[in-house]
Amino acid sequence: MTGPRLGEAEIVERLVQIGWKGSRAVRLGPGDDAAFLRGGVVISTDLAVEGVHFRLDWIDAEGAGFRAAAAALSDIAAMGAKPEVLLVSLAVPPSSPELAESVQRGVASAADRVEVAIVGGDLSRTPGPVVVDVVAVGRAHAVVTRSGARPGHAVWVTGALGGAAAAVAAWSDGRSPHPAARGRFASPPNRVPVALELARKGLARSMIDISDGLVVDTGRVAKASCALLALRRELVPVHPGAEGDLKLALQGGEDYELMFTAPPGAEARIVAIGEEVQVPLTRIGSVREGEGVVVEDASGARMEVGCGGFDHFADGPAE
Amino acid sequence: MTGPRLGEAEIVERLVQIGWKGSRAVRLGPGDDAAFLRGGVVISTDLAVEGVHFRLDWIDAEGAGFRAAAAALSDIAAMGAKPEVLLVSLAVPPSSPELAESVQRGVASAADRVEVAIVGGDLSRTPGPVVVDVVAVGRAHAVVTRSGARPGHAVWVTGALGGAAAAVAAWSDGRSPHPAARGRFASPPNRVPVALELARKGLARSMIDISDGLVVDTGRVAKASCALLALRRELVPVHPGAEGDLKLALQGGEDYELMFTAPPGAEARIVAIGEEVQVPLTRIGSVREGEGVVVEDASGARMEVGCGGFDHFADGPAE
């Protein structure tokens, strides 16, 4: 290798440069959780590679399929769109064709949760690890992007964070994960209904799937919105599986929760939606003039968060 | 392994059983070249795995991307739909992140040929072979399916067949392929304009991408249409790269040409379209009452064609 090692973000930026050009068919191109096409079509694709995104000694093939589908559906949810169909591309070793069926069953089970059909896909053998690429297609009249955060907005998060990362950390250290953490990794939550409700009522003005980690993904909203997103550390909901480890909640990723920003005065309505769909919604900070993301305590003292986060390219959970 | 080895078709059938269920969002589900969604959206995904669909000592990474995109676009063309956008999922070894850019350049180059933008995708490192999954999205008011072949129709094919398979056969034997065969494998043709024209004018009543081999894919149209498709062996256009080997033309696959059936009396108009878009269109047989596919000579004697064809799962070009 010559030159510094490229991270996922840099490579993705180069790939976008190579492939993207304006098109009448496209209302919103690369750079958000999903693309938005004319006719209200929202589309995203999510690649999971054995040994990088999952290991079959951590979860079974069905769990791997479920997670891959949950990841793709989370991208559609983050746009405030209603998922309608999935396509599934699978590569499995020729010695274990039954793996394809197990993965597909997991995908179908996540799809059933949101009443989505699998309408196609592709299948190949592979001399390497199992690969699952799930394409999710949804619809929306208008989408919620990463660029809608405005000073005065409140920053909210769905569910609780750090559980999935705690499981990965345990497995990677050769430990058995906390049962709550394992469950969190194996069965990511379904945030489609809450996201749709928040979008329909105009309460989520910016939104993002925080599966790369709260701080990293909040930073993406900050950048796209040209705003400063200030998170209050003691407000961040830490998943029981993370056993109080705030760092996992801030930087862990892989939870498939959503971060969104809402206009002032929306708090009561947001809380009501959370109660209605039975998803905890927590206000964790505010949007200010400025740029970037900071994590503060109640006194306003800033915590050093670094630029860590989940980079599928440089440092996945498994070798 | 217990029980007989499953082929690609059987596994795909099982996968469809697992994932498909009727949906108001879907006008045509699994079983054709692409799915057809409400709003006129046509979508397909095409997975290419290093060592199965291509080898980087046969073609470079850019060529692999070009072929993967051509495959996905060919599925959209086979529906008589206009491709609008692509998404690209890439898995590359962490030691060679530059491979991702090369593959993406190849995809972009095939996309440019049909004025299509890349609107998204995903990127991962992998401990295994390079994987490229290309999602193609197109639009159509109505689609041309596999089920529209009727007795009395003529069977047509675009371009010439067997060139790509001749290249694969040569490489697999350790020989240097005929330059025309190599070119055919490295740069599959663009059949989008001719397919659109045939569909728009109502001349293609059934259509399929014959990348698994003429006989196998014609058999799929026969099955979906409940008809017998009789091919005349001496009419099948053999690509120069195949050097007269009819078997490669009948069963080779990987050419990304199209087979379609047209109603009686359409010959002159079809030939005119071929001349207009400069794609050879050849009448190679006819549709009759019955079921299946046969290959005959001028006297009506049938040739044994077996059930061979390209099965990405059981017997790809490379180990």
Side-chain angles (χ1 to χ4, degrees):
Chain A
M1 295 278 300
T2 58
R5 173 75 163 279
L6 289 174
E8 187 180 4
E10 289 74 32
I11 304 174
V12 167
E13 203 164 299
R14 288 183 185 210
L15 297 182
V16 168
Q17 294 282 331
I18 292 169
W20 169 241
K21 56 181 182 232
S23 162
R24 280 195 312 138
V26 184
R27 289 165 69 179
L28 180 70
D32 218 295
D33 289 78
F36 187 37
L37 311 182
R38 71 178 173 82
V41 174
V42 178
I43 184 166
S44 179
T45 181
D46 222 283
L47 184 65
V49 178
E50 180 190 2
V52 179
H53 298 82
F54 63 91
R55 276 176 47 175
L56 292 175
D57 51 349
W58 294 355
I59 52 172
D60 58 15
E62 200 164 327
F66 191 95
R67 269 187 70 78
L73 290 164
S74 185
D75 286 330
I76 302 299
M79 304 299 283
K82 184 172 164 41
E84 291 195 337
V85 304
L86 299 182
L87 290 87
V88 188
S89 287
L90 287 173
V92 298
S95 54
S96 316
E98 71 284 355
L99 272 181
E101 287 175 57
S102 302
V103 172
Q104 184 90 342
R105 261 194 300 276
V107 172
S109 151
D112 282 345
R113 202 161 62 159
V114 290
E115 290 171 34
V116 155
I118 302 175
V119 296
D122 201 359
L123 172 72
S124 176
R125 66 188 170 87
T126 174
V130 172
V131 175
V132 193
D133 193 32
V134 179
V135 183
V137 182
R139 301 274 175 160
H141 291 294
V143 288
V144 182
T145 67
R146 297 179 179 179
S147 60
R150 297 288 172 270
H153 278 193
V155 178
W156 292 77
V157 73
T158 64
L161 311 179
V168 171
W171 279 314
S172 300
D173 290 353
R175 290 179 287 119
S176 236
H178 187 289
R182 199 203 165 283
R184 183 65 177 187
F185 185 86
S187 293
N190 169 20
R191 301 311 185 209
V192 167
V194 71
L196 268 177
E197 214 36 38
L198 290 165
R200 274 181 192 146
K201 297 204 163 134
L203 297 172
R205 298 293 173 84
S206 71
M207 189 147 56
I208 189 167
D209 163 45
I210 51 175
S211 59
D212 286 344
L214 176 64
V215 170
V216 164
D217 284 316
T218 299
R220 287 175 177 148
V221 169
K223 193 175 175 190
S225 301
C226 303
L228 174 72
L229 273 71
L231 309 181
R232 279 276 294 278
R233 55 182 291 173
E234 77 280 10
L235 299 181
V236 173
V238 181
H239 189 270
E243 302 175 89
D245 187 337
L246 182 67
K247 193 164 185 290
L248 287 173
L250 289 172
Q251 303 191 331
E254 297 288 299
D255 283 314
Y256 303 115
E257 296 288 1
L258 304 173
M259 189 281 284
F260 62 97
T261 69
E267 186 150 1
R269 280 178 294 162
I270 292 172
V271 169
I273 287 174
E275 283 168 4
E276 192 191 314
V277 297
Q278 297 192 301
V279 174
L281 299 177
T282 310
R283 185 180 167 156
I284 59 167
S286 56
V287 184
R288 303 186 200 143
E289 301 282 354
E291 213 172 299
V293 53
V294 294
V295 181
E296 301 174 336
D297 65 18
S299 76
R302 294 189 176 176
M303 177 185 172
E304 188 51 64
V305 289
C307 52
F310 194 89
D311 186 323
H312 290 112
F313 201 79
D315 56 359
E319 280 311 317
Chain B
M1 293 281 298
T2 59
R5 172 71 165 280
L6 289 174
E8 187 179 6
E10 288 76 31
I11 304 174
V12 167
E13 205 164 298
R14 288 181 183 212
L15 298 182
V16 168
Q17 293 282 332
I18 293 168
W20 168 239
K21 57 181 183 236
S23 162
R24 281 195 312 137
V26 183
R27 291 166 69 178
L28 181 70
D32 218 295
D33 289 78
F36 187 36
L37 312 182
R38 71 180 172 82
V41 174
V42 178
I43 184 166
S44 179
T45 181
D46 223 282
L47 184 65
V49 178
E50 180 189 2
V52 178
H53 298 81
F54 62 91
R55 278 177 44 175
L56 292 174
D57 51 348
W58 293 356
I59 52 173
D60 59 15
E62 200 164 327
F66 191 96
R67 269 187 71 77
L73 290 165
S74 184
D75 286 330
I76 301 299
M79 304 298 284
K82 184 172 163 41
E84 291 195 339
V85 304
L86 299 182
L87 290 87
V88 188
S89 287
L90 286 174
V92 298
S95 55
S96 315
E98 72 284 355
L99 272 182
E101 288 176 58
S102 302
V103 172
Q104 183 90 342
R105 260 194 300 276
V107 172
S109 152
D112 281 346
R113 204 162 60 158
V114 289
E115 289 170 34
V116 155
I118 302 175
V119 296
D122 201 0
L123 171 72
S124 175
R125 65 189 172 89
T126 176
V130 172
V131 174
V132 194
D133 193 34
V134 179
V135 182
V137 182
R139 302 274 176 161
H141 292 293
V143 289
V144 182
T145 68
R146 296 178 180 180
S147 60
R150 297 288 173 269
H153 278 193
V155 178
W156 292 76
V157 73
T158 64
L161 311 178
V168 171
W171 278 314
S172 301
D173 292 352
R175 291 179 287 119
S176 235
H178 188 290
R182 198 204 167 280
R184 184 66 175 186
F185 185 86
S187 293
N190 169 21
R191 300 311 185 210
V192 168
V194 72
L196 268 177
E197 211 43 34
L198 290 165
R200 273 182 193 144
K201 297 202 164 136
L203 297 172
R205 298 293 175 84
S206 72
M207 189 148 55
I208 190 168
D209 162 46
I210 51 174
S211 57
D212 286 343
L214 176 65
V215 170
V216 164
D217 284 316
T218 299
R220 289 176 176 146
V221 168
K223 191 174 178 192
S225 300
C226 303
L228 174 73
L229 275 71
L231 309 182
R232 279 277 294 279
R233 56 181 292 173
E234 77 280 10
L235 299 181
V236 173
V238 181
H239 189 269
E243 301 175 270
D245 187 337
L246 182 66
K247 192 162 185 292
L248 288 172
L250 289 172
Q251 303 191 331
E254 297 288 297
D255 282 315
Y256 304 115
E257 296 288 1
L258 304 173
M259 188 280 284
F260 61 98
T261 68
E267 185 150 0
R269 278 178 297 160
I270 292 171
V271 170
I273 287 174
E275 282 168 5
E276 192 192 315
V277 298
Q278 297 191 304
V279 174
L281 298 177
T282 310
R283 185 180 168 154
I284 59 167
S286 55
V287 184
R288 302 185 201 144
E289 301 282 352
E291 215 172 296
V293 53
V294 294
V295 182
E296 302 173 336
D297 65 17
S299 75
R302 293 189 177 177
M303 177 184 171
E304 188 51 66
V305 290
C307 52
F310 194 88
D311 187 324
H312 289 112
F313 202 79
D315 55 359
E319 282 310 320

